[in-house]
């Protein structure tokens, strides 16, 4: 795959998963600048994520029959327009409709980006590069957007999202790659270790390690314990997800499984605030660690039979 094509997919990944880096700013801006309560603000973002999940599921099923480039460009261009329209709204219902529409279009585009990665010659490596790009994008976003909100008000939130989506639409218009092209090389650690260790072992061990770390985070009483665990928690998650993506792409060369990864990611993002709030209010913060153990056990139980043929 040409470097320009890989770069277009990385840009698409950053735009499509903008919620991962922007979620605290997003909810905070809706509360501080639009006058919504925490529940209403959270509902707006949840509608965006639900729209993305539903669209991702439908897109993944039909990946091989869709015009990927045209729909990817349109899928990023529509949210750009939606977010510009959102700057003119201040009440719940119009913004809710716009969030839902924007999420659906974004889910289509992101699924096509991930499906194209999955059909490439080196899906594991390409996804690792995109993950590193997403981390860099998140750091840049958190460093630039909050000051703009302070200076220009709530409209800066939606104008920023619109600009991000517009850049992704332009990048995919100019350089969306052929799905069968081979991936470009410079890659982070997970890419260099593509088959060492074997992916099926990583996806079995990764959730277990995260469960242990989650228990440490939620039950730790000393900052000297909490801080280093918090530092490596996200790294373990990204590392495991990279191997899981590469494994799914290798097992399903149609790219449909890879195209469904946005739904896998965003359904967790959509449920997380609600589930965490219920657990903390009903029990304690330690309940989050217990839930992490249960989810890890479910993950391993599902992966165990499904990865036997990939060993």
């Amino acid at each position: 795959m040409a470097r320009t094509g890989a770069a277009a997919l990385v840009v698409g990944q950053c735009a499509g998963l903008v919620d991962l880096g922007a979620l605290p700013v997003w909810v905070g801006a809706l509360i501080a600048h639009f006058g919504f309560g925490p529940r209403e603000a959270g509902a707006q973002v949840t509608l965006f994520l639900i729209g993305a999940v539903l669209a991702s599921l439908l897109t993944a099923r039909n990946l091989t029959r869709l015009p990927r480039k045209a729909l990817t460009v349109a899928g990023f261009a529509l949210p750009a327009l939606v977010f510009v329209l959102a700057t003119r709204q201040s009440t719940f219902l119009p913004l809710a409709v716009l969030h839902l529409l924007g999420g659906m279009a974004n889910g289509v585009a992101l699924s096509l980006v991930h499906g194209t990665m999955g059909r490439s010659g080196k899906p594991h490596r390409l996804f690792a590069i995109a993950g590193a790009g997403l981390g860099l994008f998140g750091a840049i976003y958190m460093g630039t957007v909050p000051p703009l909100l302070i200076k220009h008000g709530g409209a800066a939130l939606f104008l920023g999202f619109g600009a991000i989506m517009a850049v992704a639409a332009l990048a995919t218009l100019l350089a969306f790659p052929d799905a069968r092209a081979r991936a470009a090389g410079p890659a982070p650690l997970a890419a260099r270790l593509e088959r060492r260790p074997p992916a099926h072992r990583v996806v079995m061990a990764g959730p277990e390690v995260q469960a242990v770390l989650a228990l440490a985070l939620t039950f730790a009483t000393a900052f000297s314990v909490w801080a280093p665990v918090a530092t490596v928690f996200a790294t373990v998650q990204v590392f495991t997800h990279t191997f899981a993506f590469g494994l799914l792409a290798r097992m399903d060369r149609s790219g449909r499984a890879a195209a469904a990864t946005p739904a896998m990611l965003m359904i967790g993002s959509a449920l997380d605030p609600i589930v965490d709030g219920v657990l903390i209010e009903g029990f304690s913060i330690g309940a989050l660690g217990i839930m992490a153990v249960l989810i890890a056990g479910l993950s391993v139980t599902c992966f165990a039979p499904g990865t036997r043929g990939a060993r």
Side-chain angles (χ1 to χ4, degrees), residues 4 13 24 34 44 49 84-85 107 110 117 148-149 157 162 229 247 262 267:
T4 53
Q13 160 105 334
F34 290 85
Q44 296 281 354
L49 295 172
V84 170
L85 293 176
L110 183 59
M117 289 180 179
L148 292 176
L149 285 169
L157 174 75
V229 173
L247 179 63
I267 196 169

Side-chain angles (χ1 to χ4, degrees), residues 2 9 14 20 47 78 89 121 135 167 177 197 216 224 249 261 263 274 279 284 296 302 304:
L9 294 178
C14 293
L20 294 184
L47 282 170
L78 182 57
Q89 305 298 326
V167 169
S224 59
T261 53
I274 298 173
L279 289 174
S284 68
C302 291

Side-chain angles (χ1 to χ4, degrees), residues 53 59 89 92 108 112-113 132 144 153 165 197 216 239 242 246 255 266 289 293:
V53 168
T59 303
Q89 305 298 326
F92 181 86
V108 171
L112 293 170
V113 166
T144 57
M165 297 297 172
F239 189 84
T242 300
M266 290 181 174
V293 172

Side-chain angles (χ1 to χ4, degrees), residues 166-189:
V167 169
L170 180 61
T172 51
L173 174 65
L174 296 177
F176 194 82
D178 177 76
R180 291 293 183 183
R182 297 189 65 81
L189 179 61

Side-chain angles (χ1 to χ4, degrees), residues 44 47 82 92-102:
Q44 296 281 354
L47 282 170
V82 162
F92 181 86
L93 186 57
L95 281 174
V97 172
L98 290 172
H99 273 81
L100 182 62
L101 291 175

Side-chain angles (χ1 to χ4, degrees), residues 30-46:
L30 289 171
I31 294 172
H33 297 282
F34 290 85
F36 295 129
R39 184 179 301 176
E40 292 177 315
Q44 296 281 354
V45 182
T46 295

Side-chain angles (χ1 to χ4, degrees), residues 223-279:
F223 183 76
S224 59
V225 175
W226 186 90
V229 173
T231 301
V232 301
F233 186 85
T235 303
V236 173
Q237 180 182 18
V238 173
F239 189 84
T240 304
H241 187 199
T242 300
F243 277 87
F245 183 91
L247 179 63
L248 290 173
R250 196 162 69 242
M251 294 173 68
D252 175 22
R253 294 305 298 166
S254 72
R256 286 193 294 262
T261 53
M264 303 175 202
L265 285 168
M266 290 181 174
I267 196 169
S269 299
L271 292 175
D272 180 67
I274 298 173
V275 174
D276 286 359
V278 169
L279 289 174

